[in-house]
Amino acid sequence: RYPEHDHHLAVTLEVLKPDVRGIPGKDELLALNQLCDALTHHLGGLAVPAARETGNGLRAAHFFVKASPGLDALVRRFADKQ
């Protein structure tokens, strides 16, 4: 579907207040979703969201990405702003 987006990027975040199953509460889940949406917007045309996984106290956002020499720096700049 996205032949130019032939690499995988996973960004993993720690859930701050997981329940006994490692799942965030409603407010934290909303904040995690907003953060993943903001990252998607920040990456622009370089990335296509593929999936989000939540469990064991972690949230992983998966993207299909285009090869780009500046991708690492772009993700780091986003993380530094958070």
Side-chain angles (χ1 to χ4, degrees):
R1 263 170 89 162
Y2 303 100
E4 294 179 359
H5 296 77
D6 58 351
H7 290 74
H8 173 255
L9 169 69
V11 176
T12 303
L13 306 167
E14 185 176 351
V15 174
L16 298 177
K17 297 179 182 175
D19 66 13
V20 295
R21 298 170 297 142
I23 303 295
K26 183 178 178 180
D27 291 340
E28 188 174 4
L29 184 59
L30 177 62
L32 287 167
N33 284 336
Q34 290 172 338
L35 188 60
C36 289
D37 291 345
L39 176 58
T40 300
H41 179 73
H42 182 77
L43 294 173
L46 292 177
V48 176
R52 294 177 184 176
E53 298 176 277
T54 307
N56 298 321
L58 300 173
R59 160 56 73 92
H62 299 271
F63 300 88
F64 296 120
V65 295
K66 291 181 182 180
S68 172
L71 184 62
D72 288 344
L74 189 62
V75 173
R76 285 193 183 108
R77 278 195 305 274
F78 178 82
D80 290 343
K81 291 180 184 179
Q82 304 310 308

